[in-house]
Every structure is written in C-alpha cells, then in structure tokens.
Amino acid sequence: MAISFIGKGTAAAGTGSVTPTMHASSTTDDLLILIIEGEGEDASDDGIPTGGAWTLIDSVASATDGAPDRTRCTVAWAWYDAGINLTVPDAGDHTLANVYTIRGADLTTPVEAFTIGSSSTNTTSHSAVTGLTTLTDGARVFLAFTHGDDGTTIASWANTSLTDVDTTGADTTTAGSDGTICMLAGTKATAGDAGTFTWTSGVSEEKAWVAFSVKPLVTASLPITETWTGTN
C-alpha cells in the first residue's frame, strides 16, 4: 500500500502552550506527525503533548544560546485517536506547531529510521544531507524542518535520490522571535540512501531538521482456491 499525505491541520502559535488541530479527514490507522518549533533557548527538547499517545522521534536546535535567529525542531508521532491530546506545552520564547496526517503506514513499526541535523548559518539556499538509510522498499522519506524567522516562502524543493518529491507547505508565526515549520517528502523505491533535500526560503534563515522514513503497510494476498465441478 502506497503511503499518502492526507493533509495538515490548522497550525497554532503563541508565547505559551498552543493547540493545533488535525486534518478533518484523519481516521483510524492514520499516522499523525507533530512538528514543533521553538527558539532554541537551551539544550532541552521542547515538550510534546502529555497523555502517553505521542512518541518523540527527536529534537534538534540550530544553536542553544537563545539568540533571535535560533530555531529548534521537535517531531513526534502518534496513531489517530479522536480524543488525542494536541496541546503542546510552552516551548519558551514562542511555540509553533501543526499536525500532519499520513495514510498507509505499517501498523507495527511506522517510523523505521530517523536522523537529525541543523545549521546556524543564515541563508536562503538550503540543503539537508539526511544521512538516512531506508529499510523497506517503497518507504516514504520525510524532512520536517524549522526556520528561525516568519513570513518566508518555501520553494525549489528537490531530492534527486527520491521520486514524487513534494511539500506540505509552510506555517509561520510572528510570536516571540518568529518561526516557520514545513515538511518535504519523497519516495525511495528501493531501500537505501535517502540522499539530500534542497530548497530555498524567501528570508535568510537558520534551520533545524528531523529526517525520518515511514514504512509502508504491506497488504497480505489471499490464497487462490479453485473449485472444480462436473464429472470425469
């Protein structure tokens, strides 16, 4: 079963805790991905919603001195539940978050591998060497990333190691020191090196990212039976 991106919810941002929504079409067995952006004030991960449903994939900052251009990217996953807690704790200077719905993921081990990276260099031309090796043919590779500024336009995304490369679109905030979250994705037909994502931003920014691959659901084939009628 091919993995598909169903859509994202409505982002939430502010200078305290925030509560994004999930996409209206989310349903049973959908994989939810939560991306959180904060300033990068210290070495601690930004908190994920309480209640035990969410599993942290990882968290990384462009730097941890709390300067205005810094950014921290925190990513977690959960299975769809209509009553799941979506409230993200205060990340410090500001909090920006959204929920992304993915369909067709393996129901046992949806996130098969992940890596992290960041850069404290301000630029409009970005690259993220994933360093990621997918484990399953047909895995969908995602790059969740954050920038330390708002109002930016994400464009010219690519990854020559993958097919069907696309973006979820960016969400931004002017709360606190500003921030942006976005996700790119592409399919790795044969398990192996997930390559390098590139993109441009309308504003010169630092970046942090979590790259991860989602294992596709394999649907078992039913055995073929034959029924003979008549006589010899």
Side-chain angles (χ1 to χ4, degrees), residues 26-179:
S26 303
T27 190
T28 303
D29 292 339
D30 282 349
L31 178 68
L32 305 179
I33 299 295
L34 172 67
I35 304 177
I36 306 166
E37 193 273 336
E39 187 180 56
E41 296 177 311
D42 52 42
S44 300
D45 299 346
D46 288 338
I48 60 177
T50 59
W54 291 96
T55 298
L56 178 69
I57 298 177
D58 215 333
S59 179
V60 62
S62 61
T64 57
D65 57 8
D69 286 341
R70 308 308 191 202
T71 184
R72 173 174 287 280
C73 180
T74 300
V75 182
W77 71 268
W79 292 117
Y80 167 83
D81 185 298
I84 193 170
N85 181 15
L86 298 175
T87 298
V88 176
D90 185 354
D93 173 84
H94 65 273
T95 311
L96 170 64
N98 207 350
V99 178
Y100 305 76
T101 299
I102 297 168
R103 189 164 296 163
D106 181 81
L107 299 178
T108 302
T109 310
V111 178
E112 62 175 15
F114 68 90
T115 57
I116 60 174
S118 66
S119 173
S120 59
T121 300
N122 280 284
T123 182
T124 58
S125 297
H126 304 274
S127 64
V129 181
T130 64
L132 181 71
T133 300
T134 64
L135 306 178
T136 308
D137 291 350
R140 189 76 171 163
V141 179
F142 294 87
L143 184 82
F145 66 90
T146 63
H147 286 310
D149 208 336
D150 72 292
T152 191
T153 300
I154 305 301
S156 303
W157 52 85
N159 185 326
T160 58
S161 297
L162 308 176
T163 59
D164 302 321
V165 179
D166 205 350
T167 181
T168 60
D171 294 302
T172 67
T173 182
T174 58
S177 63
D178 308 336

